[in-house]
């Protein structure tokens, strides 16, 4: 299984270090990046920086012969104020799926913002079906 190892090495040099040294140093607000194998999540305090990152990311990946999976790519408001902002507009706050979990905006018992998680039902059902087929 050389492929996952090469994927992680490639991701480290193509994305991890680039984000740390280039993107974070250019951001006015907070910027966070999480990667697991070939899936990653980039979080920005300001929407315009997230949109700018997405443009730079496409260029960066093209430089290495890679491209974004657009069906998995989205830019959403998420965080401390996303819930209240969505309710003010008469809608629900956005959620996203990462590594088999749906992440959503929630609150603690004391009313503070908290990222909450639940298992993605579609992924769970598919995994259980594979297990059943295997047995």
């Amino acid at each position: 299984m050389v492929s996952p190892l090469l994927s992680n090495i490639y991701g480290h040099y193509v994305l991890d270090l680039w984000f740390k040294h280039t993107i974070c140093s250019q951001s006015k607000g907070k910027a966070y990046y999480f990667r697991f194998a070939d899936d990653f999540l980039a979080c920005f305090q300001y929407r315009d920086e997230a949109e700018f990152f997405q443009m730079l990311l496409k260029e960066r990946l093209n430089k290495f012969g890679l491209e974004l999976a657009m069906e998995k790519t989205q830019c959403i408001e998420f965080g401390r104020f996303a819930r209240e902002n969505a309710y003010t507009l008469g809608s629900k706050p956005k959620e996203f799926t990462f590594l088999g979990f749906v992440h959503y905006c929630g609150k603690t018992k004391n009313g503070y913002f908290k990222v909450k998680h639940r298992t993605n039902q579609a992924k769970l059902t598919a995994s259980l079906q594979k297990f059943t087929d295997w047995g």
Side-chain angles (χ1 to χ4, degrees), residues 89-102:
L89 297 173
S91 62
K92 287 183 153 186
K94 301 282 188 196
E95 309 177 329
F96 65 92
T97 301
F98 184 61
L99 302 177
F101 291 94
V102 176

Side-chain angles (χ1 to χ4, degrees), residues 62-76:
N62 284 338
K63 187 176 176 180
F64 293 92
L66 303 169
E67 60 185 52
L68 281 174
M70 292 311 293
E71 70 279 0
K72 293 169 69 176
T73 303
Q74 58 181 330
C75 186
I76 65 168

Side-chain angles (χ1 to χ4, degrees), residues 83-84 105-116:
R83 187 177 163 122
E84 287 77 17
C105 298
K107 287 188 174 186
T108 64
K109 291 178 186 177
N110 296 328
Y112 295 106
F113 170 75
K114 179 180 181 180
V115 177
K116 293 194 171 188

Side-chain angles (χ1 to χ4, degrees), residues 3-128:
S3 182
L5 178 63
L6 289 177
S7 174
N8 273 317
I9 293 169
Y10 209 65
H12 177 71
Y13 288 103
V14 173
L15 293 173
D16 302 353
L17 295 176
W18 174 68
F19 191 89
K20 180 180 178 182
H21 296 291
T22 304
I23 302 301
C24 285
S25 65
Q26 294 176 359
S27 295
K28 295 177 201 133
K30 295 188 184 276
Y32 300 98
Y33 169 80
F34 309 92
R35 184 175 64 83
F36 184 80
D38 62 344
D39 286 333
F40 66 91
L41 179 64
C43 307
F44 294 88
Q45 184 174 356
Y46 301 115
R47 184 177 192 87
D48 62 328
E49 291 185 350
E51 291 167 349
F52 185 64
F53 167 74
Q54 191 170 355
M55 183 192 69
L56 290 178
L57 178 63
K58 286 178 186 175
E59 293 173 7
R60 177 76 176 174
L61 293 177
N62 284 338
K63 187 176 176 180
F64 293 92
L66 303 169
E67 60 185 52
L68 281 174
M70 292 311 293
E71 70 279 0
K72 293 169 69 176
T73 303
Q74 58 181 330
C75 186
I76 65 168
E77 181 180 14
F78 192 87
R80 197 169 27 166
F81 305 111
R83 187 177 163 122
E84 287 77 17
N85 291 346
Y87 290 151
T88 301
L89 297 173
S91 62
K92 287 183 153 186
K94 301 282 188 196
E95 309 177 329
F96 65 92
T97 301
F98 184 61
L99 302 177
F101 291 94
V102 176
H103 302 271
Y104 60 99
C105 298
K107 287 188 174 186
T108 64
K109 291 178 186 177
N110 296 328
Y112 295 106
F113 170 75
K114 179 180 181 180
V115 177
K116 293 194 171 188
H117 324 275
R118 67 177 179 272
T119 304
N120 180 319
Q121 282 305 121
K123 298 258 184 187
L124 178 62
T125 302
S127 293
L128 290 174

